[in-house]
Amino acid sequence: MTELAIDLICHRGPDGKLVYHPGMLDSIFGKYKVGSILNAPQHSLTPQEWNEVIGKIQEASIQATGIPCIYGLDQNHGVTYTSGGTLLPQNISVAATFNPALAEEAASITAYETKASACPWTYSPTVDLVRVASWPRVWENFGEDPYLSGVMGAAQIRGFQGNDPNHIGKDKIATSVKHYMAYSAPFSGKDRTPAYVSEADLREKHFAPYKACIEAGALTVMVNSASINGIPTHINKRLLTGWLKDGLDWDGMIVTDWADINNLYTREKVAKDKKEAIKMAINAGIDMAMEPYQWDFCTLLKELVEEGEVPMERIDDATRRVLRLKYRLGLFDNPTPQLKDYPDFGSAKYADAARRTAVESMILLKNEGGILPLAKGTKILVTGPNANSMRTLNGGWTITWQGKLAPGELEEKNTIYEALAAKFGKENVNYVPGVTYNEDGKYGDENAPDFAPVAAAAKNADVVVVCIGENSYTETPGNLSDLNLSANQKELVRVAAASGKPVIMILNEGRARIISDVEPLAAAVVDILLPGSEGGDALAALLSGEENFSGRLPYTYPRDVNSLSTYDYKASEQVGTMAGAYDYNASITNQWPFGYGLSYTTFDYANLRADKSEFTDGDILTVSVDVTNTGNVKGKETVMLYSSDLVASRIVPDNRRLRAFDKIELAPGQTRTVTFKIPASDLAYVGHDGKWILEEGDFTIAVGGLILPLNCTVTKEYADNK
Ligand code: BGC
């Protein structure tokens, strides 16, 4: 039930070799019978090194107890911690593709390369709903919508684990869905701080992607470090044992997040000491403690059992869950997979999959006068702190925790500038940064700007491609207090615009930074989010028109710091102007809405229809719409179906909810009928009493701007696990 960090076992010495700490393997496995090890020693290892380290660990573990150890790594967008492997787009970019097949493929590649590294378990996927724009972990997730997050999360479970969770195959690994749950809704916007979430939102929204992942076979779950409505999640028996284990009849394993049992007394102050913290967490349903540096968890837990404070049945249950996981992974038969059996590690075909996903993830937000695509031979000035950086394309969890790269790392991959130079010709592409990050400082630190050379170089260019956003960060070090893009970077946009040349604004950021005051200065805006190592090439292909844009915003892009909302805001937040003397208005203002994204072609929607206009709870609604490519080039379109419940008596209704989507490709002039099957029970909601209900009354279905009225003729309450 104990998990320790690799730093206890070895570190990388000054000569670059791994140095093993004498006696540690004996203490950890021989004396304390520790069941799991995690993490990389500060920096990624080669697959050969992983084979060696995990091989030694398995040998020591099996010799001491006859039980293999389970090793876990954050392989979050490809193999974070294995050098030479594939680095795919981060989850926020995967969500922007609205293409679950790509999510599955990405996870499948990561599983293969993780297994090539002899590691059987990853702390992915992350399916926390992005409900607070400033939260520094926005980019690790699939956006703000419960349905999209569930579809993408479940696709990744299949990609990582395969289709039989009882027998994880040779190329597959176990997942840990995280961070259960509402971690992403901190009131302060800062990482690991309290969330206050209504019972209805918890059940209907935050729980939804976890449920989808468990139903897809997820083998383990990691817990939210912080608290929900005042209760630290690590001691919340109702959520851990009640909703997850009993409610979903789930026999998987729950692991804490980093040091989170210790945090119960050091930070959350709900326990007076470590022993009390262990008692609270284990009795609530925790099965494994990510300690990560001390083994007194073992002795304290043993004492608690001897004193009758933790029932032996709870220990039996937890250890059964851990052992079941190890059996499911086949660790008893094959504790250390061999690299030679994984010839596709780091292959060109995987890099190509990463590039294809990056292409589908980039979002065209503005294209005035069709300035994009850029013609061959266009003279381009590339500027901005993100223009020539592999670190910013990849974001955090890249080779190191914070994504900071050593000089020369990932040099073989193309930055935006390098990719544009390759695509448009070196002679046509000039790079002058203007603003640079201080790579040795905090993620937001910038060096003194140098605008004059940018203004001068713009004179010789046809367009200025301004690459702005954020440097990489992960978790708490990424906290911020102002969602605005940095002052230097906004000034850079102004300097570029003052040249009179069209400005193409490229946003490369982990969360939506506010740009409303400089956005009007740009002729085109592309949000590339965090597209990974192939992102530079993907963007160059899109800007040249070789590929077409099809990414859509997975979250609402805010316009103003104090006007934040999600697309499913309550009906009462957008009511227009009041009549009479008090003629104020309540309105939602955003830069761009959830689901927004342009293309080089246009699509027309017609004939939205359903097989019935009245329905009851047991019905499945068949809804169809005809979509036509009305432009001149082929393109992919994500057809989204939203529902609205016009009156909901047990809670103020959401203005609308995404219920289904389908991404299709159409040639110019081509029409396709897209059909969705929506179970009527999907239109139910959770009331203030925490219960699911479908109520009789009027609904609308909206697809591509068309609206269809429907009527529900019954009221039906559902059991908990609808
Ligand atoms: C993070 C988790 C991660 C764990 C192990 C924690 O700090 O919150 O997402 O899986 O560390 O590295």
Side-chain angles (χ1 to χ4, degrees), residues 3 38-39 72-74 76 81 122-124 126 137 140 178-179 183 191-192 222-223 225 256-260 290 397 401 474-475:
E3 181 172 56
L38 87 153
N39 225 355
L73 282 174
D74 289 279
N76 289 346
Y81 284 134
T122 187
Y123 306 119
S124 267
T126 315
R137 306 193 73 170
E140 295 183 54
K178 66 189 188 185
H179 309 76
Y183 178 38
D191 187 36
R192 289 179 159 78
M222 189 187 292
V223 181
S225 282
T256 72
D257 200 347
W258 190 264
D260 275 333
M290 190 189 286
W397 295 121
W401 178 45
T474 303
E475 300 181 39

Side-chain angles (χ1 to χ4, degrees), residues 201-246:
D201 264 13
L202 214 50
R203 187 76 195 178
E204 188 176 329
K205 297 183 180 173
H206 292 277
F207 188 56
Y210 288 93
K211 183 166 180 274
C213 288
I214 298 289
E215 285 168 355
L219 289 175
T220 80
V221 164
M222 189 187 292
V223 181
N224 167 7
S225 282
S227 61
I228 307 170
N229 302 332
I231 309 174
T233 322
H234 282 77
I235 61 166
N236 195 326
K237 188 168 181 182
R238 190 173 73 105
L239 298 186
L240 300 180
T241 303
W243 288 24
L244 197 57
K245 289 180 174 174
D246 295 346

Side-chain angles (χ1 to χ4, degrees), residues 12 70 74 174 224 326-327 348 365 381 424 486 493 529:
R12 194 182 285 286
I70 178 163
D74 289 279
N224 167 7
K326 293 180 178 181
Y327 277 111
L365 292 168
L381 168 63
F424 288 86
S486 84
V493 178
L529 302 162

Side-chain angles (χ1 to χ4, degrees), residues 225-444:
S225 282
S227 61
I228 307 170
N229 302 332
I231 309 174
T233 322
H234 282 77
I235 61 166
N236 195 326
K237 188 168 181 182
R238 190 173 73 105
L239 298 186
L240 300 180
T241 303
W243 288 24
L244 197 57
K245 289 180 174 174
D246 295 346
L248 296 179
D249 199 13
W250 180 62
D251 64 3
M253 196 270 278
I254 300 183
V255 62
T256 72
D257 200 347
W258 190 264
D260 275 333
I261 292 187
N262 300 325
N263 286 332
L264 292 172
Y265 72 101
T266 57
R267 187 185 65 206
E268 304 293 328
K269 312 287 185 199
V270 292
K272 65 176 183 302
D273 57 18
K274 181 156 183 175
K275 193 163 168 182
E276 191 171 45
I278 295 173
K279 176 180 148 184
M280 290 168 114
I282 301 301
N283 284 340
I286 295 290
D287 302 310
M288 182 183 276
M290 190 189 286
E291 256 292 320
Y293 290 116
Q294 288 154 347
W295 45 56
D296 58 352
F297 171 82
C298 310
T299 42
L300 292 171
L301 180 57
K302 193 156 171 270
E303 282 172 30
L304 284 163
V305 175
E306 284 158 1
E307 291 157 12
E309 297 289 337
V310 173
M312 193 59 202
E313 300 80 70
R314 184 67 270 280
I315 305 295
D316 286 343
D317 173 55
T319 49
R320 244 183 240 124
R321 288 171 186 270
V322 175
L323 287 172
R324 197 181 286 130
L325 172 66
K326 293 180 178 181
Y327 277 111
R328 284 172 162 160
L329 281 164
L331 286 177
F332 286 89
D333 300 328
N334 183 12
T336 319
Q338 297 301 305
L339 177 58
K340 66 172 174 36
D341 297 328
Y342 297 86
D344 289 338
F345 178 89
S347 60
K349 73 173 182 189
Y350 286 171
D352 188 56
R355 191 196 60 84
R356 279 187 283 110
T357 307
V359 165
E360 286 204 28
S361 74
M362 296 183 173
I363 312 158
L364 181 62
L365 292 168
K366 183 177 182 184
N367 193 16
E368 252 173 25
I371 176 105
L372 297 178
L374 300 172
K376 231 176 152 187
T378 304
K379 292 212 169 307
I380 302 171
L381 168 63
V382 195
T383 181
N386 295 50
N388 197 24
S389 163
M390 277 317 295
R391 175 176 169 181
T392 63
L393 287 179
N394 274 299
W397 295 121
T398 301
I399 298 183
T400 63
W401 178 45
Q402 293 295 312
K404 193 173 167 191
L405 304 177
E409 240 159 8
L410 299 180
E411 213 169 46
E412 69 285 7
K413 300 292 178 184
N414 283 333
T415 63
I416 296 174
Y417 159 61
E418 289 163 348
L420 287 176
K423 184 69 67 192
F424 288 86
K426 268 202 177 86
E427 64 290 359
N428 292 318
V429 181
N430 186 13
Y431 164 58
V432 183
V435 177
T436 50
Y437 296 116
N438 172 2
E439 294 293 339
D440 298 320
K442 294 198 179 125
Y443 83 94

Side-chain angles (χ1 to χ4, degrees), residues 677-690:
K677 300 256 181 216
I678 313 288
S681 57
D682 280 9
L683 307 186
Y685 68 93
V686 176
H688 57 77
D689 52 1

